[in-house]
Amino acid sequence: MIGLDTNILVRYLTRDDEQQWQQSATVIQQSQPCFVTNIVLCELVWVLKGAIYGFRKDEIINVLEAMLHSAAFEFENRSTVDQALQRYKQGKADFSDYLIGAVFRQAGCTETVSFDSKLKGEGGFQCLE
């Protein structure tokens, strides 16, 4: 098993550079499963949402769901990522916020404290003003 950096996943998912896509696809196909950390997932969503790619929320959800259901990828904790994804689908905060909260819950924290107003009213989060 190998670990994948964000830029490998971006090339693989967007195919915006044919040569790098081919290299990424070859590595992923030959090294399954490939390990993807939580920080890489957060960076991936941030890059895909950004000005260069402009993925909509539903497109990001589709990408993350496809990755979660693929045998090609292994995660730090698949169920934690899935919990974050389910909350992201329904919520107004960023995927990274929900993933942070899910990781903290997994670690035994009772809540996640933040200044992010998008988390106001979200279960398991306390939003300071």
Side-chain angles (χ1 to χ4, degrees), residues 1 33-37 67 70-78:
M1 180 163 50
C34 298
F35 193 71
V36 179
T37 63
M67 288 179 68
S70 171
F73 304 106
E74 187 61 47
F75 301 90
E76 287 182 53
N77 186 317
R78 191 176 296 268

Side-chain angles (χ1 to χ4, degrees), residues 3-129:
L4 296 179
D5 191 15
T6 308
N7 54 29
I8 298 295
L9 284 173
V10 169
R11 293 291 93 70
Y12 180 70
L13 296 168
T14 65
R15 201 171 184 163
D16 63 343
D17 179 302
E18 189 63 29
Q19 181 181 1
Q20 288 185 355
W21 174 82
Q22 185 60 52
Q23 291 174 300
S24 299
T26 299
V27 165
I28 291 169
Q29 291 165 3
Q30 292 177 350
S31 306
Q32 291 185 23
C34 298
F35 193 71
V36 179
T37 63
N38 291 342
I39 192 72
V40 166
L41 286 174
C42 291
E43 285 184 341
L44 176 65
V45 170
W46 184 77
V47 169
L48 294 179
K49 280 177 61 176
I52 293 173
Y53 299 104
F55 276 42
R56 297 181 318 269
K57 182 176 179 176
D58 64 313
E59 293 172 313
I60 290 169
I61 289 168
N62 290 338
V63 165
L64 295 175
E65 284 183 330
M67 288 179 68
L68 273 173
H69 294 101
S70 171
F73 304 106
E74 187 61 47
F75 301 90
E76 287 182 53
N77 186 317
R78 191 176 296 268
S79 66
T80 301
V81 174
D82 187 52
Q83 289 170 26
L85 179 57
Q86 298 313 311
R87 292 198 70 184
Y88 178 59
K89 285 180 182 180
Q90 304 301 320
K92 56 187 180 213
D94 295 325
F95 172 76
S96 58
D97 296 316
Y98 295 116
L99 184 56
I100 290 165
V103 168
F104 286 160
R105 277 190 304 284
Q106 182 77 23
C109 299
T110 57
E111 64 184 358
T112 301
V113 180
S114 176
F115 285 111
D116 191 337
S117 61
K118 290 184 269 183
L119 293 167
K120 192 170 189 166
E122 292 277 352
F125 291 90
Q126 179 186 357
C127 184
L128 303 179
E129 298 191 34

